Amino acid sequence: MKVNLQQENFIFDPSGVAYWESKHILLIADVHLGKIAHFRKHGSAVPQKAILKNFEQLKKVVATYQPEKIYFLGDLFHSAYNSEFAYFKTWVQEQQADLVLIVGNHDIISPAHFENLGIAVKEEICLERFLLTHHPEEREGFFNICGHIHPGFRLRGMGRQHEKLSCFFKTKHQLILPAFGTFTGKYLLQQSKNDQIYVCTETEVILIPQKL
């Protein structure tokens, strides 16, 4: 789905990434690499193959959009350094795009691990009238694009059926991206009158009608 933000076109992808067309930038939030290995190490019954799902999805979106730059909006790596970083290193070595990490609260490993792979590490990025951060921010004169919240929306059907799905959550001056990682939760945000919610299904992004 193509969405106009501040006179710039962005494509919202069902995977949860946003592609900034004019800048050829792929925006990805909350991948949480290392989380599955962390939980497996502490006894959780998470299948080993679940680790590869994030990388398969990363390969798919990069092949689709072929960006010149990839900006990770925080929480790229979930925990202390673990075995998943080797998978990440292999993925990085295959990339043609410039990689940038805007650090999040879970990015606790040394920035040197990323910088040694050629990944720039930033606290935030101001690009024209956009402010790219991990945590939601408000700053006069800027439209904020961020992550951290893992926004979700509950779709309700007949017969008390319901399903909680990831979503893009847009307010007047802010866009919160869905969590990209497969092993992450979803936080249900309350939609105000002028907020726009774009729900991610497996195959498409759907705009939820605004409340009246």
Side-chain angles (χ1 to χ4, degrees):
M1 173 178 284
K2 187 173 293 189
V3 179
N4 188 275
L5 305 175
Q6 305 292 103
Q7 289 75 55
E8 291 282 344
N9 287 328
F10 290 77
I11 297 175
F12 291 180
D13 189 88
S15 66
V17 306
Y19 180 64
W20 188 347
E21 286 191 321
S22 70
K23 300 295 184 184
H24 308 288
I25 293 174
L26 196 62
L27 301 171
I28 307 176
D30 299 283
V31 185
H32 286 274
L33 299 175
K35 187 173 185 179
I36 294 172
H38 175 78
F39 276 77
R40 281 176 55 83
K41 180 179 178 180
H42 291 85
S44 295
V46 184
Q48 174 73 16
K49 64 181 181 181
I51 291 175
L52 300 178
K53 191 170 182 180
N54 282 328
F55 294 100
E56 291 169 357
Q57 187 80 310
L58 281 170
K59 289 179 180 180
K60 181 179 178 181
V61 296
V62 171
T64 297
Y65 297 103
Q66 300 183 23
E68 294 179 2
K69 297 181 179 180
I70 301 173
Y71 289 176
F72 292 101
L73 304 186
D75 289 359
L76 172 56
F77 208 82
H78 175 79
S79 61
Y81 189 93
N82 63 34
S83 60
E84 270 187 65
F85 203 87
Y87 291 99
F88 178 63
K89 180 178 180 180
T90 298
W91 177 82
V92 169
Q93 291 171 341
E94 298 171 348
Q95 303 312 304
Q96 301 298 316
D98 294 332
L99 304 179
V100 179
L101 169 61
I102 298 170
V103 292
N105 52 294
H106 280 285
D107 294 310
I108 62 173
I109 65 176
S110 170
H113 288 298
F114 299 109
E115 292 167 342
N116 289 340
L117 295 178
I119 301 172
V121 179
K122 307 287 186 180
E123 291 294 325
E124 64 180 37
I125 291 176
C126 294
L127 187 55
E128 296 182 356
R129 51 193 174 277
F130 291 90
L131 173 65
L132 309 181
T133 62
H134 175 61
H135 291 88
E137 301 280 352
E138 292 185 11
R139 192 170 304 173
E140 187 175 354
F142 286 95
F143 186 92
N144 178 223
I145 303 179
C146 60
H148 183 61
I149 303 296
H150 303 194
F153 183 80
R154 194 185 302 279
L155 284 177
R156 301 185 184 276
M158 300 180 66
R160 298 184 179 179
Q161 295 174 328
H162 61 84
E163 185 173 5
K164 185 161 58 172
L165 299 173
S166 296
C167 69
F168 295 85
F169 193 91
K170 179 184 175 296
T171 64
K172 184 176 182 181
H173 299 296
Q174 186 174 77
L175 173 68
I176 306 175
L177 266 59
F180 184 85
T182 58
F183 198 58
T184 55
K186 301 176 185 69
Y187 180 73
L188 298 178
L189 293 172
Q190 295 299 315
Q191 183 182 19
S192 298
K193 180 180 178 181
N194 295 316
D195 297 339
Q196 293 177 320
I197 292 177
Y198 300 83
V199 168
C200 300
T201 72
E202 290 187 3
T203 59
E204 63 181 331
V205 176
I206 301 171
L207 176 61
I208 300 299
Q210 289 181 317
K211 290 185 176 181
L212 299 177

